[in-house]
Amino acid sequence: MSQQKMSMTTKILIWMVSGLVVGSLINAFASEVTFIQDYLVNGLFHVVGALFISALKMLVVPLVTFSLICGVCGIGDVNTLGRVGLKAFLLFMLTTALAITLAITVAVVVGPGEGFDMQTAEHAEFTAPAAPPLTQVIIDLVPTNPIAAYASGNMLQIIFFTILFAVCILMIGERGRPISQGAEKLNDVMMEVVNVVMHVAPIGVFALMAKTFSLQGLGLILPMISYFGVVAFVLVLHMTGTLMMLLKLLGRVSPLMFLKKMRTAQIFAFSTSSSNATIPVTLRSVENRLGVDNSTASFVVPFGATINMDGTAIMQGVATVFIANVYGIDLGISGYLTVIGMAVLASIGTAGVPGVGLIMLAMVFNQVGLPIEGIALIMGVDRLLDMMRTAVNVTGDAAITTIVARAEDKISMETFNDPDAGQVEEIHLPHEASLPEK
Ligand code: ASP
């Protein structure tokens, strides 16, 4: 059995790498072959990849809702809920600030973009999309119509309404119990739906990787290697350094065990470029693999997917220094401090979906007076960096969830330390024989 268990995580990884290789080969040798482009890249890979992403997104809203109701009812009182929320919020802000400070420091030392040849850059246009002002972000926390919030998948509004709803289930006491019990059963069902979807993950991951890399060859990186390299380096440094140190010091858990168990969620984040779409897998990893109690995970994970973006902050830090260097603008200490503050604030109001990092970057550039057109320079490599930073974003969400759970004594260390706990392979589609007789 254990060998079988091993094979599923490895299987997803193998399919992911195969997708990368197949895509890169197509990009290198068959980018002009119409048949391959039409039927494979924009046909099969596109359809399978899009189906897989839709299947993941389909799980997010019902899973978060039922899981959050169980979580709040499990916590049992509003004060504890407030304390958990505040701790998570402060830690999310702290890690984002640490991430961008690290990024700016490394970028200033390495100096990417100094002597950059503008000719090598793509002459793409970047028009900054309008970003919501902070006041609006705060106002928008409360949905005017919860159904509309659910229908559009507005995470912060859904979290707000669901928590309020669940607190009121607690407030009506005994009469509310059937509802919380019902939510528990529905949550079990949704977790099983996650398991079923994860069964097709290897193929979905393959299709996403193959499509991305056939459109986006690795050769694109070359002219931007200094920028790309610094972002990639700081992403790794933050994930294996800052986050692991926090896990060790504040969470008193083994960082290596944590990383090992986060692998599946990281692969999903990498191939979907969306922390939001990865929520079902992150939740599953944090609860079943790391042993965090549902009462903490159900709340902190979706909250983190929306407001915590360490990887994105890193990209913004490096991009700011890079563009400032390219245009020969000296931002000075106060400029960089503004960038740090802005990046932290910007991450709160923007959801974890593909490419949102660039929108946040436009907000930051606006604030410090860097030319927004500069973003066009880095757009070429952004797709790849989006994949990498999303994996770091998701790792940050899970790390803080673990630390908060540890502080609240809401984590089973037995599960955490068991290398096989909650393996993906435990997913099983029921055989007909085990279904109830009709
Ligand atoms: N794709 C990232 C995420 O979902 C956000 C970004 O950096 O664009 O976390």
Side-chain angles (χ1 to χ4, degrees):
M1 190 68 202
S2 157
Q3 213 168 3
Q4 242 182 345
K5 278 182 185 174
M6 274 297 296
S7 70
M8 180 66 164
T9 314
T10 319
K11 203 166 144 188
I12 301 183
L13 200 64
I14 291 174
W15 281 74
M16 178 179 115
V17 176
S18 318
L20 193 150
V21 173
V22 170
S24 305
L25 286 177
I26 292 181
N27 183 274
F29 303 111
S31 55
E32 305 290 319
V33 185
T34 334
F35 175 80
I36 291 189
Q37 291 299 326
D38 288 354
Y39 290 98
L40 225 51
V41 179
N42 295 314
L44 192 66
F45 296 162
H46 172 67
V47 172
V48 175
L51 276 176
F52 178 57
I53 297 244
S54 301
L56 277 174
K57 286 189 182 162
M58 165 186 85
L59 308 174
V60 177
V61 172
L63 183 66
V64 168
T65 307
F66 300 134
S67 179
L68 202 48
I69 296 179
C70 296
V72 174
C73 294
I75 287 184
D77 83 292
V78 187
N79 288 341
T80 318
L81 187 71
R83 197 179 59 226
V84 172
L86 188 67
K87 269 185 200 165
F89 180 77
L90 293 178
L91 282 168
F92 283 146
M93 295 301 102
L94 173 77
T95 49
T96 308
L98 286 176
I100 188 161
T101 311
L102 185 68
I104 291 179
T105 314
V106 175
V108 166
V109 172
V110 178
E114 279 167 6
F116 182 82
D117 177 9
M118 289 288 256
Q119 296 307 107
T120 55
E122 272 182 287
H123 291 289
E125 288 283 315
F126 182 79
T127 2
L134 191 63
T135 42
Q136 196 56 41
V137 171
I138 298 171
I139 295 171
D140 284 347
L141 275 180
V142 182
T144 47
N145 175 355
I147 306 292
Y150 277 95
S152 61
N154 184 323
M155 234 22 170
L156 286 183
Q157 293 190 345
I158 293 176
I159 293 177
F160 181 88
F161 179 76
T162 312
I163 289 180
L164 183 64
F165 185 80
V167 167
C168 293
I169 296 179
L170 284 175
M171 285 168 69
I172 60 169
E174 229 7 78
R175 279 178 305 140
R177 183 143 309 173
I179 302 180
S180 61
Q181 283 168 345
E184 245 163 67
K185 290 180 189 129
L186 288 165
N187 187 40
D188 287 348
V189 176
M190 280 314 296
M191 270 293 184
E192 197 55 35
V193 185
V194 176
N195 286 349
V196 171
V197 170
M198 282 180 77
H199 254 304
V200 296
I203 298 171
V205 166
F206 172 85
L208 285 177
M209 297 297 289
K211 177 170 181 220
T212 307
F213 281 86
S214 35
L215 297 176
Q216 181 99 37
L218 288 170
L220 251 174
I221 298 173
L222 285 178
M224 300 295 293
I225 199 81
S226 63
Y227 166 72
F228 189 92
V230 175
V231 178
F233 173 73
V234 183
L235 284 176
V236 173
L237 199 64
H238 181 74
M239 189 170 81
T240 56
T242 319
L243 288 179
M244 295 308 113
M245 218 155 66
L246 289 176
L247 267 175
K248 188 84 202 149
L249 296 180
L250 302 179
R252 290 162 288 118
V253 295
S254 153
L256 282 183
M257 185 62 89
F258 172 86
L259 274 184
K260 181 173 171 333
K261 294 189 166 187
M262 279 305 294
R263 214 167 44 195
T264 313
Q266 286 170 340
I267 296 175
F268 272 70
F270 186 82
S271 27
T272 60
S273 294
S274 168
S275 324
N276 261 13
T278 311
I279 289 176
V281 187
T282 317
L283 257 182
R284 192 189 181 285
S285 300
V286 166
E287 287 184 20
N288 299 6
R289 303 275 282 136
L290 297 173
V292 175
D293 197 81
N294 168 264
S295 59
T296 307
S298 66
F299 172 32
V300 184
V301 167
F303 191 37
T306 318
I307 71 159
N308 182 49
M309 293 183 199
D310 298 354
T312 307
I314 288 170
M315 177 279 283
Q316 294 178 58
V318 181
T320 307
V321 178
F322 177 73
I323 301 294
N325 283 343
V326 168
Y327 285 89
I329 298 170
D330 184 16
L331 285 177
I333 294 285
S334 69
Y336 286 127
L337 286 178
T338 314
V339 173
I340 295 175
M342 271 307 289
V344 174
L345 288 181
S347 65
I348 302 178
T350 37
V353 292
V356 80
L358 286 187
I359 302 177
M360 292 159 66
L361 191 61
M363 292 164 79
V364 172
F365 276 21
N366 238 336
Q367 195 69 24
V368 290
L370 280 180
I372 308 261
E373 317 83 79
I375 294 180
L377 297 184
I378 55 171
M379 269 166 65
V381 285
D382 198 67
R383 182 73 190 87
L384 273 184
L385 285 177
D386 196 2
M387 303 169 92
M388 297 167 66
R389 66 182 185 247
T390 308
V392 175
N393 288 347
V394 165
T395 311
D397 301 342
I400 300 305
T401 310
T402 309
I403 293 172
V404 173
R406 189 82 164 120
E408 294 289 322
D409 206 11
K410 289 284 182 205
I411 180 168
S412 152
M413 287 314 290
E414 202 187 319
T415 309
F416 185 96
N417 290 321
D418 172 4
D420 287 336
Q423 285 273 23
V424 180
E425 294 59 45
E426 281 170 20
I427 304 160
H428 56 274
L429 284 172
H431 297 293
E432 277 174 35
S434 62
L435 288 172
E437 294 278 319
K438 293 228 175 88

